Amino acid sequence: MFAEGNLRRALEAAGWCLAEYEDAAGHFLARAVPRS
């Protein structure tokens, strides 16, 4: 669905850090945390 690199860059530009990423056939998970 979302390419990991694109999502990571977008989150970092907004002040977030991609902490967990899964893009499997049956589900999608992206967990972001504020950058400290």
Side-chain angles (χ1 to χ4, degrees), residues 6-29:
N6 293 340
L7 184 56
R8 185 177 303 278
R9 283 189 295 277
L11 286 168
E12 287 177 358
W16 292 82
C17 179
L18 186 60
E20 188 174 359
Y21 179 89
E22 293 180 23
D23 191 3
H27 71 275
F28 176 78
L29 169 75

